[in-house]
Amino acid sequence: MHLILFGAPGVGKGTQAKKISEEFGIPQISTGDMLREAVRNKTELGKQAEAIMARGELISDRIMLNLIKDRISRPDCANGLILDGFPRTIPQAEGLTGLMDELSLPKFTCIEITAPEEEIIQRLTIRMTCSRCGKDYNPAIAPLPKDMKCTVCGGDIIARKDDNEDTIRNRLKVYQEQTAQVKDYYIARGAFFSVNGNREVNEVYRSIHDIISNL
Ligand code: AMP
């Protein structure tokens, strides 16, 4: 099963990708998480990416395609994978199609998650995230751990640098200008579905599950 979870920042791609990953035993590949790890480890990529990410802009297609090629060639992707946050531009989508041919991968199915912009801004402004494993915490759904340590890995729970209102608005603008048209690319390839993400997490998951079950 080769899936792309598509949609604006904050629609719940990461949350849903983790649930699919757990149930179907295929890895969630979040390019945002990979880049944040590179920033934490102060690698060459991390040093290049840090300021761009803090502004809410996109890392170059060439860098992203190299990163994704390396990641999806690993053995844990042999039975499938879930892309979360990639592709984010038409050249990335075209590059991924090229990789499918090069690596003999089956066709990717793109599942879009939607939510109104004001709901997204509200969600991202209060979102907290584990600085080590990337688990998201939503104080509107459940209180944060008192010690602010991640319940999964013990890492510090913090607000992501790009989860402030100015950067959130810029990320949404970048999404409209550079990412939204990726949807048309997958519609044209007959591999596109859309679910309403403005519902409770398990309800959204049920819709995604129905789509996956019928693939
Ligand atoms: P995310 O965690 O998916 O919201 O990504 C956080 C940030 O990482 C984005 O705002 C971009 O700066 C960068 N990023 C993640 N994925 C990509 C991608 N596929 N192409 C370019 N930049 C990306």
Side-chain angles (χ1 to χ4, degrees):
M1 188 163 64
H2 288 68
L3 296 179
I4 296 165
L5 285 193
F6 183 73
V11 290
K13 299 186 296 293
T15 305
Q16 297 296 332
K18 283 189 182 66
K19 288 175 80 67
I20 303 168
S21 171
E22 272 168 29
E23 179 169 347
F24 294 91
I26 54 174
Q28 168 199 12
I29 298 180
S30 155
T31 42
D33 284 351
M34 290 166 78
L35 291 167
R36 278 184 289 279
E37 191 182 341
V39 170
R40 269 199 306 281
N41 295 337
K42 299 190 169 38
T43 65
E44 215 33 64
L45 168 65
K47 285 181 205 158
Q48 285 179 42
E50 189 168 12
I52 301 172
M53 292 171 77
R55 290 196 299 272
E57 287 161 15
L58 297 184
I59 312 303
S60 81
D61 293 330
R62 184 184 51 79
I63 291 178
M64 294 312 299
L65 276 162
N66 283 334
L67 193 70
I68 215 76
K69 178 178 180 184
D70 179 64
R71 180 64 188 88
I72 69 181
S73 306
R74 296 202 203 145
D76 65 334
C77 294
N79 295 325
L81 55 103
I82 310 149
L83 291 176
D84 158 13
F86 183 96
R88 250 171 157 108
T89 63
I90 294 288
Q92 289 182 17
E94 288 169 347
L96 181 64
T97 302
L99 283 180
M100 281 163 48
D101 297 337
E102 195 182 325
L103 305 172
S104 304
L105 303 176
K107 190 162 127 175
F108 276 85
T109 301
C110 181
I111 304 179
E112 175 192 47
I113 307 176
T114 62
E117 188 161 310
E118 285 315 309
E119 165 70 20
I120 289 175
I121 293 169
Q122 158 77 12
R123 281 187 198 177
L124 291 183
T125 326
I126 59 167
R127 174 168 80 174
M128 303 290 278
T129 305
C130 173
S131 57
R132 194 186 295 161
C133 73
K135 177 176 163 59
D136 284 338
Y137 289 86
N138 181 348
I141 293 178
L144 297 169
K146 282 205 174 58
D147 59 1
M148 295 300 274
K149 298 284 180 201
C150 177
T151 51
V152 174
C153 75
D156 292 328
I157 298 174
I158 55 161
R160 259 171 60 172
K161 249 192 190 154
D162 56 353
D163 279 347
N164 64 75
E165 190 159 345
D166 283 351
T167 311
I168 293 167
R169 288 196 187 273
N170 195 39
R171 285 157 69 199
L172 290 171
K173 183 165 166 270
V174 166
Y175 177 80
Q176 288 308 334
E177 288 174 359
Q178 299 184 53
T179 307
Q181 61 264 41
V182 169
K183 169 175 174 168
D184 299 329
Y185 182 87
Y186 288 98
I187 292 175
R189 294 172 68 83
F192 184 84
F193 298 86
S194 188
V195 302
N196 172 11
N198 197 15
R199 295 174 293 161
E200 197 268 316
V201 170
N202 288 323
E203 274 180 54
V204 180
Y205 187 62
R206 258 195 297 282
S207 301
I208 293 177
H209 199 279
D210 285 348
I211 293 169
I212 295 173
S213 308
N214 287 314
L215 285 179

